[in-house]
Amino acid sequence: MKEKMKALMRKFDAFIEEIGMDKVAHFCAGGMIVTIFACYGLGIIGFFVNVAIMWARERLSDCPDPRDSGMGILGGLCALLLSFPSELV
């Protein structure tokens, strides 16, 4: 079991190195923004705020990378989909 976990962690580390740590950070930040809004039942508004923040961040960046904002928006979308059942209550 321990060897399987080590192999899984090696694959996970290789995946993060392949896509880049900055993409993972944008994904987590996008999810966090939406989650903060979703705590108050405003997840959909939080998603649009997330899109605006990610878009503005890329527009103001010295070296813009659209994949960064795409990962941030994807993280926000994942958080929105996970919080959506609670939005209906």
Side-chain angles (χ1 to χ4, degrees):
M1 182 69 177
K2 191 174 183 180
E3 292 302 319
K4 288 183 181 180
M5 289 301 292
K6 283 185 180 182
L8 182 64
M9 284 304 297
R10 281 191 207 104
K11 288 181 183 178
F12 188 65
D13 288 342
F15 175 71
I16 289 177
E17 283 185 29
E18 181 182 329
I19 64 170
M21 187 61 204
D22 60 331
K23 309 290 185 288
V24 175
H26 282 87
F27 183 88
C28 292
M32 183 182 65
I33 291 168
V34 174
T35 302
I36 290 170
F37 278 84
C39 289
Y40 300 104
L42 303 170
I44 295 171
I45 294 172
F47 177 73
F48 288 115
V49 168
N50 176 42
V51 170
I53 289 172
M54 293 297 165
W55 180 79
R57 187 214 164 274
E58 288 303 313
R59 294 282 293 169
L60 298 173
S61 178
D62 291 336
C63 53
D65 184 5
R67 292 177 293 177
D68 288 345
S69 60
M71 287 300 284
I73 293 169
L74 183 63
L77 182 63
C78 289
L80 180 65
L81 292 175
L82 289 172
S83 70
F84 193 68
S86 67
E87 299 261 338
L88 298 175
V89 176

